[in-house]
mmCIF file with all atom_site columns, all heavy atoms in Angstrom:
data_model
loop_
_atom_site.group_PDB
_atom_site.id
_atom_site.type_symbol
_atom_site.label_atom_id
_atom_site.label_alt_id
_atom_site.label_comp_id
_atom_site.label_asym_id
_atom_site.label_entity_id
_atom_site.label_seq_id
_atom_site.pdbx_PDB_ins_code
_atom_site.Cartn_x
_atom_site.Cartn_y
_atom_site.Cartn_z
_atom_site.occupancy
_atom_site.B_iso_or_equiv
_atom_site.pdbx_formal_charge
_atom_site.auth_seq_id
_atom_site.auth_comp_id
_atom_site.auth_asym_id
_atom_site.auth_atom_id
_atom_site.pdbx_PDB_model_num
ATOM   1   N  N   . HIS Q 1 69  ? -151.060 113.827 -11.211 1.00 98.00 ? 160 HIS Q N   1
ATOM   2   C  CA  . HIS Q 1 69  ? -151.324 114.449 -9.901  1.00 98.00 ? 160 HIS Q CA  1
ATOM   3   C  C   . HIS Q 1 69  ? -151.180 115.962 -9.990  1.00 98.00 ? 160 HIS Q C   1
ATOM   4   O  O   . HIS Q 1 69  ? -150.127 116.486 -10.362 1.00 98.00 ? 160 HIS Q O   1
ATOM   5   C  CB  . HIS Q 1 69  ? -150.344 113.933 -8.845  1.00 98.00 ? 160 HIS Q CB  1
ATOM   6   C  CG  . HIS Q 1 69  ? -150.495 114.621 -7.517  1.00 98.00 ? 160 HIS Q CG  1
ATOM   7   N  ND1 . HIS Q 1 69  ? -151.561 114.392 -6.671  1.00 98.00 ? 160 HIS Q ND1 1
ATOM   8   C  CD2 . HIS Q 1 69  ? -149.740 115.576 -6.908  1.00 98.00 ? 160 HIS Q CD2 1
ATOM   9   C  CE1 . HIS Q 1 69  ? -151.440 115.149 -5.598  1.00 98.00 ? 160 HIS Q CE1 1
ATOM   10  N  NE2 . HIS Q 1 69  ? -150.349 115.882 -5.713  1.00 98.00 ? 160 HIS Q NE2 1
ATOM   11  N  N   . THR Q 1 70  ? -152.261 116.652 -9.643  1.00 98.00 ? 161 THR Q N   1
ATOM   12  C  CA  . THR Q 1 70  ? -152.168 118.112 -9.552  1.00 98.00 ? 161 THR Q CA  1
ATOM   13  C  C   . THR Q 1 70  ? -153.220 118.631 -8.571  1.00 98.00 ? 161 THR Q C   1
ATOM   14  O  O   . THR Q 1 70  ? -154.010 117.852 -8.006  1.00 98.00 ? 161 THR Q O   1
ATOM   15  C  CB  . THR Q 1 70  ? -152.327 118.773 -10.949 1.00 98.00 ? 161 THR Q CB  1
ATOM   16  O  OG1 . THR Q 1 70  ? -151.984 120.160 -10.850 1.00 98.00 ? 161 THR Q OG1 1
ATOM   17  C  CG2 . THR Q 1 70  ? -153.735 118.634 -11.490 1.00 98.00 ? 161 THR Q CG2 1
ATOM   18  N  N   . HIS Q 1 71  ? -153.161 119.910 -8.321  1.00 98.00 ? 162 HIS Q N   1
ATOM   19  C  CA  . HIS Q 1 71  ? -154.169 120.617 -7.531  1.00 98.00 ? 162 HIS Q CA  1
ATOM   20  C  C   . HIS Q 1 71  ? -154.547 121.806 -8.405  1.00 98.00 ? 162 HIS Q C   1
ATOM   21  O  O   . HIS Q 1 71  ? -153.964 122.893 -8.274  1.00 98.00 ? 162 HIS Q O   1
ATOM   22  C  CB  . HIS Q 1 71  ? -153.595 121.086 -6.190  1.00 98.00 ? 162 HIS Q CB  1
ATOM   23  C  CG  . HIS Q 1 71  ? -152.832 120.027 -5.446  1.00 98.00 ? 162 HIS Q CG  1
ATOM   24  N  ND1 . HIS Q 1 71  ? -153.438 119.132 -4.605  1.00 98.00 ? 162 HIS Q ND1 1
ATOM   25  C  CD2 . HIS Q 1 71  ? -151.515 119.701 -5.429  1.00 98.00 ? 162 HIS Q CD2 1
ATOM   26  C  CE1 . HIS Q 1 71  ? -152.528 118.309 -4.094  1.00 98.00 ? 162 HIS Q CE1 1
ATOM   27  N  NE2 . HIS Q 1 71  ? -151.346 118.630 -4.584  1.00 98.00 ? 162 HIS Q NE2 1
ATOM   28  N  N   . MET Q 1 74  ? -155.015 125.529 -7.398  1.00 97.00 ? 165 MET Q N   1
ATOM   29  C  CA  . MET Q 1 74  ? -153.865 126.230 -6.814  1.00 97.00 ? 165 MET Q CA  1
ATOM   30  C  C   . MET Q 1 74  ? -153.076 127.019 -7.861  1.00 97.00 ? 165 MET Q C   1
ATOM   31  O  O   . MET Q 1 74  ? -152.115 127.707 -7.518  1.00 97.00 ? 165 MET Q O   1
ATOM   32  C  CB  . MET Q 1 74  ? -152.953 125.244 -6.071  1.00 97.00 ? 165 MET Q CB  1
ATOM   33  C  CG  . MET Q 1 74  ? -153.626 124.669 -4.837  1.00 97.00 ? 165 MET Q CG  1
ATOM   34  S  SD  . MET Q 1 74  ? -152.580 123.491 -3.944  1.00 97.00 ? 165 MET Q SD  1
ATOM   35  C  CE  . MET Q 1 74  ? -151.558 124.614 -2.980  1.00 97.00 ? 165 MET Q CE  1
ATOM   36  N  N   . GLN Q 1 129 ? -156.689 116.877 -6.782  1.00 98.00 ? 220 GLN Q N   1
ATOM   37  C  CA  . GLN Q 1 129 ? -156.818 116.689 -5.336  1.00 98.00 ? 220 GLN Q CA  1
ATOM   38  C  C   . GLN Q 1 129 ? -156.986 118.074 -4.720  1.00 98.00 ? 220 GLN Q C   1
ATOM   39  O  O   . GLN Q 1 129 ? -156.000 118.774 -4.505  1.00 98.00 ? 220 GLN Q O   1
ATOM   40  C  CB  . GLN Q 1 129 ? -155.548 116.001 -4.813  1.00 98.00 ? 220 GLN Q CB  1
ATOM   41  C  CG  . GLN Q 1 129 ? -155.512 115.813 -3.328  1.00 98.00 ? 220 GLN Q CG  1
ATOM   42  C  CD  . GLN Q 1 129 ? -154.422 114.844 -2.895  1.00 98.00 ? 220 GLN Q CD  1
ATOM   43  O  OE1 . GLN Q 1 129 ? -153.630 114.372 -3.704  1.00 98.00 ? 220 GLN Q OE1 1
ATOM   44  N  NE2 . GLN Q 1 129 ? -154.362 114.525 -1.623  1.00 98.00 ? 220 GLN Q NE2 1
ATOM   45  N  N   . HIS Q 1 192 ? -155.157 114.109 2.161   1.00 95.00 ? 283 HIS Q N   1
ATOM   46  C  CA  . HIS Q 1 192 ? -153.944 114.881 1.853   1.00 95.00 ? 283 HIS Q CA  1
ATOM   47  C  C   . HIS Q 1 192 ? -152.688 114.083 2.141   1.00 95.00 ? 283 HIS Q C   1
ATOM   48  O  O   . HIS Q 1 192 ? -151.773 114.018 1.321   1.00 95.00 ? 283 HIS Q O   1
ATOM   49  C  CB  . HIS Q 1 192 ? -153.954 116.189 2.665   1.00 95.00 ? 283 HIS Q CB  1
ATOM   50  C  CG  . HIS Q 1 192 ? -152.740 117.028 2.441   1.00 95.00 ? 283 HIS Q CG  1
ATOM   51  N  ND1 . HIS Q 1 192 ? -151.595 116.902 3.198   1.00 95.00 ? 283 HIS Q ND1 1
ATOM   52  C  CD2 . HIS Q 1 192 ? -152.482 117.974 1.520   1.00 95.00 ? 283 HIS Q CD2 1
ATOM   53  C  CE1 . HIS Q 1 192 ? -150.686 117.754 2.737   1.00 95.00 ? 283 HIS Q CE1 1
ATOM   54  N  NE2 . HIS Q 1 192 ? -151.197 118.411 1.732   1.00 95.00 ? 283 HIS Q NE2 1
ATOM   55  N  N   . GLN Q 1 217 ? -155.945 108.420 -3.612  1.00 98.00 ? 308 GLN Q N   1
ATOM   56  C  CA  . GLN Q 1 217 ? -154.740 109.170 -3.996  1.00 98.00 ? 308 GLN Q CA  1
ATOM   57  C  C   . GLN Q 1 217 ? -154.223 109.914 -2.767  1.00 98.00 ? 308 GLN Q C   1
ATOM   58  O  O   . GLN Q 1 217 ? -154.989 110.618 -2.112  1.00 98.00 ? 308 GLN Q O   1
ATOM   59  C  CB  . GLN Q 1 217 ? -155.147 110.165 -5.101  1.00 98.00 ? 308 GLN Q CB  1
ATOM   60  C  CG  . GLN Q 1 217 ? -154.104 111.178 -5.478  1.00 98.00 ? 308 GLN Q CG  1
ATOM   61  C  CD  . GLN Q 1 217 ? -154.567 112.111 -6.622  1.00 98.00 ? 308 GLN Q CD  1
ATOM   62  O  OE1 . GLN Q 1 217 ? -153.760 112.688 -7.282  1.00 98.00 ? 308 GLN Q OE1 1
ATOM   63  N  NE2 . GLN Q 1 217 ? -155.853 112.253 -6.840  1.00 98.00 ? 308 GLN Q NE2 1
ATOM   64  N  N   . HIS Q 1 219 ? -150.579 111.911 -0.814  1.00 97.00 ? 310 HIS Q N   1
ATOM   65  C  CA  . HIS Q 1 219 ? -149.153 112.275 -0.776  1.00 97.00 ? 310 HIS Q CA  1
ATOM   66  C  C   . HIS Q 1 219 ? -148.462 111.324 0.196   1.00 97.00 ? 310 HIS Q C   1
ATOM   67  O  O   . HIS Q 1 219 ? -148.913 111.176 1.339   1.00 97.00 ? 310 HIS Q O   1
ATOM   68  C  CB  . HIS Q 1 219 ? -148.976 113.699 -0.247  1.00 97.00 ? 310 HIS Q CB  1
ATOM   69  C  CG  . HIS Q 1 219 ? -149.612 114.754 -1.106  1.00 97.00 ? 310 HIS Q CG  1
ATOM   70  N  ND1 . HIS Q 1 219 ? -150.659 115.534 -0.683  1.00 97.00 ? 310 HIS Q ND1 1
ATOM   71  C  CD2 . HIS Q 1 219 ? -149.330 115.161 -2.357  1.00 97.00 ? 310 HIS Q CD2 1
ATOM   72  C  CE1 . HIS Q 1 219 ? -150.989 116.393 -1.650  1.00 97.00 ? 310 HIS Q CE1 1
ATOM   73  N  NE2 . HIS Q 1 219 ? -150.211 116.182 -2.666  1.00 97.00 ? 310 HIS Q NE2 1
ATOM   74  N  N   . GLU Q 1 222 ? -143.048 112.105 1.049   1.00 96.00 ? 313 GLU Q N   1
ATOM   75  C  CA  . GLU Q 1 222 ? -142.599 113.225 0.210   1.00 96.00 ? 313 GLU Q CA  1
ATOM   76  C  C   . GLU Q 1 222 ? -141.283 113.810 0.731   1.00 96.00 ? 313 GLU Q C   1
ATOM   77  O  O   . GLU Q 1 222 ? -140.403 114.128 -0.060  1.00 96.00 ? 313 GLU Q O   1
ATOM   78  C  CB  . GLU Q 1 222 ? -143.696 114.301 0.174   1.00 96.00 ? 313 GLU Q CB  1
ATOM   79  C  CG  . GLU Q 1 222 ? -143.359 115.496 -0.713  1.00 96.00 ? 313 GLU Q CG  1
ATOM   80  C  CD  . GLU Q 1 222 ? -144.523 116.482 -0.838  1.00 96.00 ? 313 GLU Q CD  1
ATOM   81  O  OE1 . GLU Q 1 222 ? -145.579 116.238 -0.206  1.00 96.00 ? 313 GLU Q OE1 1
ATOM   82  O  OE2 . GLU Q 1 222 ? -144.376 117.483 -1.545  1.00 96.00 ? 313 GLU Q OE2 1
ATOM   83  N  N   . VAL Q 1 255 ? -148.500 109.405 -4.239  1.00 98.00 ? 346 VAL Q N   1
ATOM   84  C  CA  . VAL Q 1 255 ? -147.904 110.569 -4.882  1.00 98.00 ? 346 VAL Q CA  1
ATOM   85  C  C   . VAL Q 1 255 ? -146.560 110.906 -4.230  1.00 98.00 ? 346 VAL Q C   1
ATOM   86  O  O   . VAL Q 1 255 ? -146.465 110.922 -3.001  1.00 98.00 ? 346 VAL Q O   1
ATOM   87  C  CB  . VAL Q 1 255 ? -148.864 111.778 -4.770  1.00 98.00 ? 346 VAL Q CB  1
ATOM   88  C  CG1 . VAL Q 1 255 ? -148.248 113.006 -5.427  1.00 98.00 ? 346 VAL Q CG1 1
ATOM   89  C  CG2 . VAL Q 1 255 ? -150.217 111.442 -5.383  1.00 98.00 ? 346 VAL Q CG2 1
ATOM   90  N  N   . HIS Q 1 256 ? -145.569 111.144 -5.011  1.00 98.00 ? 347 HIS Q N   1
ATOM   91  C  CA  . HIS Q 1 256 ? -144.198 111.540 -4.638  1.00 98.00 ? 347 HIS Q CA  1
ATOM   92  C  C   . HIS Q 1 256 ? -143.294 110.328 -4.383  1.00 98.00 ? 347 HIS Q C   1
ATOM   93  O  O   . HIS Q 1 256 ? -142.442 110.020 -5.175  1.00 98.00 ? 347 HIS Q O   1
ATOM   94  C  CB  . HIS Q 1 256 ? -144.154 112.513 -3.450  1.00 98.00 ? 347 HIS Q CB  1
ATOM   95  C  CG  . HIS Q 1 256 ? -144.853 113.801 -3.720  1.00 98.00 ? 347 HIS Q CG  1
ATOM   96  N  ND1 . HIS Q 1 256 ? -144.585 114.541 -4.842  1.00 98.00 ? 347 HIS Q ND1 1
ATOM   97  C  CD2 . HIS Q 1 256 ? -145.824 114.474 -3.054  1.00 98.00 ? 347 HIS Q CD2 1
ATOM   98  C  CE1 . HIS Q 1 256 ? -145.355 115.627 -4.842  1.00 98.00 ? 347 HIS Q CE1 1
ATOM   99  N  NE2 . HIS Q 1 256 ? -146.119 115.598 -3.776  1.00 98.00 ? 347 HIS Q NE2 1
ATOM   100 N  N   . CYS Q 1 278 ? -143.564 113.405 -9.284  1.00 98.00 ? 369 CYS Q N   1
ATOM   101 C  CA  . CYS Q 1 278 ? -143.708 114.842 -9.549  1.00 98.00 ? 369 CYS Q CA  1
ATOM   102 C  C   . CYS Q 1 278 ? -142.331 115.505 -9.394  1.00 98.00 ? 369 CYS Q C   1
ATOM   103 O  O   . CYS Q 1 278 ? -142.068 116.178 -8.389  1.00 98.00 ? 369 CYS Q O   1
ATOM   104 C  CB  . CYS Q 1 278 ? -144.699 115.474 -8.585  1.00 98.00 ? 369 CYS Q CB  1
ATOM   105 S  SG  . CYS Q 1 278 ? -146.316 114.678 -8.565  1.00 98.00 ? 369 CYS Q SG  1
ATOM   106 N  N   . SER Q 1 281 ? -141.755 119.544 -8.605  1.00 97.00 ? 372 SER Q N   1
ATOM   107 C  CA  . SER Q 1 281 ? -142.240 119.966 -7.299  1.00 97.00 ? 372 SER Q CA  1
ATOM   108 C  C   . SER Q 1 281 ? -141.293 119.462 -6.209  1.00 97.00 ? 372 SER Q C   1
ATOM   109 O  O   . SER Q 1 281 ? -140.959 120.180 -5.261  1.00 97.00 ? 372 SER Q O   1
ATOM   110 C  CB  . SER Q 1 281 ? -143.655 119.419 -7.081  1.00 97.00 ? 372 SER Q CB  1
ATOM   111 O  OG  . SER Q 1 281 ? -144.122 119.728 -5.799  1.00 97.00 ? 372 SER Q OG  1
ATOM   112 N  N   . ASP Q 1 307 ? -147.887 118.087 -9.965  1.00 98.00 ? 398 ASP Q N   1
ATOM   113 C  CA  . ASP Q 1 307 ? -148.283 118.682 -8.702  1.00 98.00 ? 398 ASP Q CA  1
ATOM   114 C  C   . ASP Q 1 307 ? -148.931 120.030 -9.017  1.00 98.00 ? 398 ASP Q C   1
ATOM   115 O  O   . ASP Q 1 307 ? -149.113 120.383 -10.187 1.00 98.00 ? 398 ASP Q O   1
ATOM   116 C  CB  . ASP Q 1 307 ? -147.084 118.810 -7.746  1.00 98.00 ? 398 ASP Q CB  1
ATOM   117 C  CG  . ASP Q 1 307 ? -147.496 118.613 -6.283  1.00 98.00 ? 398 ASP Q CG  1
ATOM   118 O  OD1 . ASP Q 1 307 ? -148.712 118.561 -6.010  1.00 98.00 ? 398 ASP Q OD1 1
ATOM   119 O  OD2 . ASP Q 1 307 ? -146.612 118.499 -5.412  1.00 98.00 ? 398 ASP Q OD2 1
ATOM   120 N  N   . GLY Q 1 308 ? -149.287 120.802 -8.009  1.00 97.00 ? 399 GLY Q N   1
ATOM   121 C  CA  . GLY Q 1 308 ? -149.963 122.069 -8.287  1.00 97.00 ? 399 GLY Q CA  1
ATOM   122 C  C   . GLY Q 1 308 ? -148.989 123.128 -8.798  1.00 97.00 ? 399 GLY Q C   1
ATOM   123 O  O   . GLY Q 1 308 ? -147.783 123.036 -8.589  1.00 97.00 ? 399 GLY Q O   1
ATOM   124 N  N   . SER Q 1 311 ? -146.298 124.896 -6.595  1.00 93.00 ? 402 SER Q N   1
ATOM   125 C  CA  . SER Q 1 311 ? -145.002 124.306 -6.217  1.00 93.00 ? 402 SER Q CA  1
ATOM   126 C  C   . SER Q 1 311 ? -144.262 123.752 -7.431  1.00 93.00 ? 402 SER Q C   1
ATOM   127 O  O   . SER Q 1 311 ? -143.501 122.807 -7.315  1.00 93.00 ? 402 SER Q O   1
ATOM   128 C  CB  . SER Q 1 311 ? -145.211 123.185 -5.187  1.00 93.00 ? 402 SER Q CB  1
ATOM   129 O  OG  . SER Q 1 311 ? -145.918 122.101 -5.752  1.00 93.00 ? 402 SER Q OG  1
HETATM 130 ZN ZN1 . ZN  Z 2 .   ? -149.714 117.387 -4.397  1.00 60.06 ? 732 ZN  Z ZN1 1
#
Side-chain angles (χ1 to χ4, degrees):
H160 175 73
T161 191
H162 312 274
M165 293 180 82
Q220 177 166 5
H283 179 271
Q308 171 178 202
H310 297 115
E313 182 174 1
V346 179
H347 299 309
C369 305
S372 176
D398 214 351
S402 66

